[in-house]
Amino acid sequence: MSQTTTRSRAHLRRADLLHPTELSRLGNLEFVARKVVEGFLLGLHASPHRGFSAEFAELKAYQPGDDVRYIDWRMFGRSDRYFVKQFQEETNLVSHLLLDISESMNWKSGTGLLSKLSYGKQLLAALSLLLVRQGDAVGLTAFHDGVPTRIHPRGGKHHWYELLHRLESLQASGRTNAPSALTDVARRLRRRGLVVLVSDLLVDLDRTKNTLRFLRHRGHEVLVLHLLDPGERELPAAGDAWFYDPETQEEMRVNAADLRADYRDAVKEALREWERALRPYGIDYVTVDTDQPLSRVLGAYLKKRARLG
């Protein structure tokens, strides 16, 4: 079998490259997260610890299924038995994930798409698994105009199961108050940490950017993942369209063809405004379309983590 064929088959098995709607058909959030993370690590073409901090801990007897890359060949030469190197991952980071669950996150523009909230759940399920595997403590805050869900940062498999259970039960409601939720997290983070905000950013820009800058000023690393439904980037080519704000329940009818070009320019300018407000201050800002595979988003996290290292 050629090397190209082997790589292409491995590529097809990678859940992190699937369309998010296909992912949702695979099973529950736990199954999806595990498959996505396995595919993502496979795509690194190296050790699962690449980009992470890990120390050698001990040897254990080889068992079928263990990664052969970690066989200690010197020990084999001395004992004629197979031993596998085990690693102790360092817990050097407290990570806090914030998920916007306001009513606007429940929207999707087509039947072949996930809502922004469903996509955000997939994303945070996979990201939290990466964090737990790294040995980090990870917490979760779900917010709208209040904070109905708060999970304090901890590590370990059982904590991850609790986090997933709470993620799956979240429902969209209310308006958005991102600055309040971010301020709440800032008060609770006692040492240097990573804060990840997942939102459609239909928020007050000035108040939100100031709170994010405050977190960065306090020494925390900040990653903002701006979720966009593809229908938010472009209006239909022709015909009338109803604009509806699910948080204020206001609606307006317009001719889409008349506004299409102006709308596209306005969206681009709004995204540039977020970039100008955050990136010069050392805050990573990534736009994420909800029809986009999760590999790119997890890659953005990995780049952030490499800089932390």
Side-chain angles (χ1 to χ4, degrees):
M1 183 183 297
S2 70
Q3 187 176 13
T4 302
T5 303
T6 302
R7 286 181 178 175
S8 63
R9 290 184 178 179
H11 184 280
L12 290 173
R13 291 196 300 270
R14 288 181 55 187
D16 61 312
L17 297 176
L18 292 177
H19 190 283
T21 306
E22 292 180 80
L23 270 181
S24 66
R25 301 191 190 109
L26 293 180
N28 62 18
L29 211 52
E30 177 188 346
F31 184 82
V32 167
R34 291 189 183 279
K35 288 298 181 183
V36 166
V37 170
E38 288 169 7
F40 179 69
L41 294 177
L42 176 66
L44 295 179
H45 299 294
S47 161
H49 301 287
R50 181 179 176 183
F52 296 149
S53 176
E55 290 183 350
F56 171 70
E58 60 183 356
L59 295 172
K60 76 176 187 70
Y62 174 83
Q63 295 179 348
D66 286 340
D67 195 326
V68 296
R69 289 175 298 179
Y70 301 130
I71 291 177
D72 189 321
W73 295 107
R74 290 185 179 180
M75 280 297 296
F76 174 74
R78 290 199 294 265
S79 65
D80 202 31
R81 296 173 59 195
Y82 293 109
F83 290 89
V84 180
K85 296 177 182 178
Q86 290 188 299
F87 294 87
Q88 178 65 47
E89 294 169 336
E90 296 178 3
T91 304
N92 58 1
L93 191 69
V94 174
S95 303
H96 210 103
L97 313 177
L98 290 97
L99 177 62
D100 183 350
I101 59 167
S102 61
E103 190 63 45
S104 64
M105 290 285 287
N106 210 30
W107 186 76
K108 61 180 181 178
S109 62
T111 55
L113 296 168
L114 296 180
S115 70
K116 289 177 280 188
L117 179 57
S118 295
Y119 186 95
K121 289 180 181 182
Q122 280 190 5
L123 171 57
L124 289 190
L127 180 54
S128 62
L129 180 56
L130 270 180
L131 290 163
V132 167
R133 285 192 175 187
Q134 163 65 11
D136 292 333
V138 55
L140 173 69
T141 292
F143 69 93
H144 37 58
D145 45 4
V147 180
T149 297
R150 182 188 294 114
I151 301 177
H152 298 291
R154 292 194 302 276
K157 179 174 63 177
H158 295 297
H159 176 66
W160 183 66
Y161 289 144
E162 177 192 352
L163 193 147
L164 278 192
H165 175 71
R166 300 287 286 277
L167 263 180
E168 287 190 301
S169 66
L170 293 173
Q171 302 292 325
S173 64
R175 300 189 182 188
T176 314
N177 191 346
S180 178
L182 288 163
T183 301
D184 180 72
V185 168
R187 290 177 181 147
R188 296 173 185 278
L189 283 173
R190 301 300 181 189
R191 64 185 181 92
R192 177 176 177 266
L194 170 66
V195 177
V196 180
L197 173 63
V198 178
S199 172
D200 57 7
L201 292 185
L202 298 177
V203 297
D204 184 301
L205 185 146
D206 287 335
R207 289 181 60 224
T208 304
K209 75 180 182 183
N210 288 338
T211 314
L212 290 166
R213 290 175 184 176
F214 173 73
L215 280 163
R216 187 72 188 97
H217 178 72
R218 292 281 297 269
H220 304 299
E221 293 293 330
V222 182
L223 173 61
V224 176
L225 301 174
H226 187 169
L227 299 191
L228 289 165
D229 183 285
E232 292 177 303
R233 288 188 179 271
E234 286 281 354
L235 290 179
D240 289 344
W242 283 96
F243 284 79
Y244 174 70
D245 186 334
E247 297 186 19
T248 64
Q249 298 185 349
E250 296 178 0
E251 57 184 17
M252 178 176 61
R253 186 176 181 178
V254 299
N255 185 293
D258 292 342
L259 293 180
R260 197 163 187 254
D262 290 341
Y263 176 85
R264 184 191 304 120
D265 291 342
V267 170
K268 289 180 180 178
E269 177 56 30
L271 300 182
R272 283 194 293 265
E273 192 172 4
W274 277 108
E275 288 186 11
R276 291 192 295 265
L278 301 179
R279 284 184 175 163
Y281 294 86
I283 298 168
D284 288 85
Y285 170 78
V286 181
T287 57
V288 183
D289 286 5
T290 57
D291 60 351
Q292 183 177 99
L294 293 178
S295 58
R296 176 175 174 265
V297 193
L298 295 180
Y301 156 73
L302 201 64
K303 288 179 181 178
K304 164 69 80 175
R305 188 57 190 253
R307 287 199 294 275
L308 286 174

